[in-house]
Each structure stands twice: as C-alpha cells, then as structure tokens.
Amino acid sequence: MGYTHYWRQKTVPTNYKEQVNKVLIEVHVLLERMPVMATTAGQDGDEKIILCGGDGTGRPDISKERICFNGDEKRGLDHETFHYEFNGEVFDFDFCKTARKPYDMAVCLCLLSLANHIDGFEFSSDGDIDDWQPAIDFYLEMNKNYKS
C-alpha cells in the first residue's frame, strides 16, 4: 500500500467553465512559485521538485482540457500520474499514488485549488495534517498575497 490522494466530482456546477478558469489561473501561479524543495508527505526538503509530463518526461500539461503531470523519471522521482480532465462529467473515484515523492507538493496544491474553486469536487488522502501542512501553508500564503 502506498501514499495516495483520492478525489471525485460529485456534481458539475452550471458555471463549471468559469470555475475551471479560476483553477487554471491559480494552478499556473502556484506551480510557478511553489518551493524548490519538497516538504510535503514527510519530505525533509532534500529533494528538488521537478515536474514533468504524465510519463515522467517532457513538460506538464496544464490546459483548458486537463492538468497532467508526474515527477522526474530520469531521477527516479516519478510514480503515478496526477491527471484531472476538465470534461464537465461527474465521476465517483480517481486517485494518484505519489509514494511521498517530491511532486506530491504539486499534487496537493492542485487538489486544494480544485476543492476551493470547483463546486462538487471532493478529495481525501492517506496523509495526515503534518503531511499536508506545507502545502496548506503555501496555498494560503499565495492566496493572501495574490488577492491583495
């Protein structure tokens, strides 16, 4: 059993596209400015966060269609792909097992943004508050500064 985050889209709001746009704007800012070193999921800050495409190579896909990324396969810091499709459909279950690798911080930030902006989106995690606190603190600080 690995360290995993779970999510679902219980309903799709009528203003879904507007909510997706808010997520995309926020996720671009969050991932661009996120800490260089990993500190979520029990990381001690000794591994650099490098985001790649879904297969652990290339570039992340953050677009009107989806958010899709993984850790760096070359350094053995990839695991399962974080993938969320903006297709406006209800679904009961999806997940991403990060195995506590550095890209977990980016997964946590995306989940926080989705939950904050898209009605009917819910998530849970194998992690406890200590695992999540660095992402929560960064998310709150960025929102405080970004909205000021």
Side-chain angles (χ1 to χ4, degrees):
M1 185 168 167
Y3 182 81
T4 307
H5 305 293
Y6 313 88
W7 60 92
R8 67 183 183 154
Q9 187 69 50
K10 285 178 38 177
T11 61
V12 178
T14 55
N15 60 342
Y16 182 73
K17 287 184 182 181
E18 179 182 311
Q19 292 179 1
V20 166
N21 287 335
K22 287 180 181 181
V23 169
L24 288 172
I25 290 167
E26 185 171 78
V27 165
H28 277 288
V29 171
L30 289 168
L31 297 185
E32 179 181 294
R33 297 180 183 174
M34 101 178 132
V36 174
M37 304 306 274
T39 56
T40 58
Q43 294 281 322
D44 56 11
D46 65 345
E47 289 285 353
K48 190 173 181 182
I49 302 169
I50 299 174
L51 298 183
C52 297
D55 66 354
T57 66
R59 299 185 51 81
D61 181 1
I62 301 168
S63 64
K64 290 179 185 177
E65 289 79 33
R66 72 191 57 82
I67 298 173
C68 181
F69 61 85
N70 203 327
D72 184 11
E73 184 265 341
K74 287 181 187 174
R75 295 174 50 217
L77 298 176
D78 62 321
H79 204 68
E80 291 183 357
T81 302
F82 177 79
H83 187 255
Y84 182 87
E85 286 284 329
F86 295 115
N87 57 18
E89 295 179 6
V90 172
F91 60 90
D92 287 331
F93 183 77
D94 206 346
F95 66 94
C96 177
K97 187 181 297 186
T98 66
R100 298 184 182 271
K101 296 198 177 171
Y103 77 105
D104 182 78
M105 175 71 148
V107 172
C108 292
L109 293 172
C110 288
L111 291 172
L112 290 167
S113 184
L114 287 161
N116 191 38
H117 294 292
I118 297 185
D119 296 335
F121 180 86
E122 296 179 347
F123 72 90
S124 62
S125 175
D126 291 345
D128 60 24
I129 192 66
D130 291 336
D131 294 318
W132 274 80
Q133 200 63 57
I136 293 167
D137 291 346
F138 179 75
Y139 183 84
L140 293 173
E141 185 65 25
M142 287 300 297
N143 272 289
K144 182 177 98 178
N145 292 334
Y146 186 67
K147 292 179 181 175
S148 298

